[in-house]
Amino acid sequence: MDALIVASTPTRQHALTDVLYHEKINCVVCSTAAEARRALVCRPFDLFVVYSGLIDEQGNDLAVTIADTNDCGGIYIGNSMSTEQIEAKLNDCGIITMALPITKSQLVEAVRLLLVSNTRVRILKAKNEELSAKLDDMKYVNRAKIVLMRSLGYSEEQSHKYIEKRAMEMRMSRRKVAIEILNTYEAN
């Protein structure tokens, strides 16, 4: 696990890294939003913590950028007045907002919550990609069936059996067989 810590003072940086190291999370520490944006270009992060009041910006826009570009959750820590104003926007991006003062145990709980939710998001994302690939395969197979029906006069059942049989005989996926059929008959 890798975390991006963005805090302007060494005291805040140390407090955050101490908590994350205790949770066995590797930290990349940045003092400014510009430095954090450069770090984002180099590598992805599993979570982030942004302390408000950075030297070059408030930090809430940076938090949104990190969440959008890394598909990860994070924590935004700010004073109570500024946190309430931007909390809804940050929560919609998967960012937990915490108002100062916070305790170490509150931060640990927030980090643990993020780790659990990030794991769940990764699982759902993998399932989504798998389902998208299956849907894509089905589109090719269905198009190939239609082409066989039009070109060779097969019924839908015959087209389906032809694709299945060819896939087994050639030891290819149904998608590859469908693509071959499309290349053969749609090229004419």
Side-chain angles (χ1 to χ4, degrees):
M1 284 273 155
D2 294 322
L4 176 64
I5 305 295
V6 189
S8 58
T9 65
T11 306
R12 289 177 174 174
Q13 292 170 356
H14 179 70
L16 294 172
T17 56
D18 185 44
V19 168
L20 294 174
Y21 281 134
H22 182 71
E23 295 296 317
K24 297 181 175 85
I25 298 171
N26 300 319
C27 298
V28 173
V29 180
C30 299
S31 300
T32 65
E35 189 179 336
R37 284 187 171 88
R38 284 191 297 275
L40 287 169
V41 172
C42 298
R43 62 191 280 199
F45 292 96
D46 300 304
L47 65 97
F48 64 89
V49 181
V50 176
Y51 233 109
S52 68
L54 300 172
I55 296 167
D56 50 353
E57 69 176 66
Q58 184 58 27
N60 56 313
D61 290 334
L62 172 66
V64 170
T65 299
I66 297 169
D68 287 344
T69 58
N70 281 278
D71 289 335
C72 68
I75 300 170
Y76 177 80
I77 302 170
N79 66 41
S80 59
M81 300 224 11
S82 68
T83 304
E84 288 176 11
Q85 295 169 350
I86 57 172
E87 185 172 17
K89 178 182 176 187
L90 295 178
N91 287 346
D92 288 344
C93 296
I95 302 167
I96 296 172
T97 55
M98 300 182 78
L100 291 170
I102 59 171
T103 64
K104 184 176 180 177
S105 63
Q106 288 173 321
L107 185 57
V108 168
E109 285 303 312
V111 167
R112 288 181 180 161
L113 176 65
L114 273 177
L115 294 175
V116 169
S117 65
N118 284 349
T119 300
R120 184 71 179 143
V121 166
R122 262 189 240 104
I123 291 168
L124 291 173
K125 193 173 183 179
K127 284 182 182 178
N128 187 29
E129 289 171 3
E130 181 183 330
L131 290 172
S132 291
K134 284 182 180 180
L135 183 61
D136 208 32
D137 290 349
M138 286 176 56
K139 287 178 185 178
Y140 279 106
V141 170
N142 286 335
R143 275 185 48 213
K145 284 182 192 178
I146 291 169
V147 165
L148 288 173
M149 290 163 54
R150 285 185 186 155
S151 300
L152 302 179
Y154 286 0
S155 68
E156 182 179 0
E157 185 178 329
Q158 289 172 320
S159 298
H160 179 76
K161 285 181 181 179
Y162 176 82
I163 293 169
E164 289 287 322
K165 184 177 178 187
R166 182 119 171 108
M168 284 191 291
E169 288 173 352
M170 301 299 293
R171 295 181 186 204
M172 296 170 44
S173 69
R174 294 183 321 142
R175 178 186 178 135
K176 286 183 181 178
V177 170
I179 290 171
E180 281 185 359
I181 291 168
L182 293 172
N183 288 338
T184 301
Y185 292 100
E186 285 187 339
N188 296 331

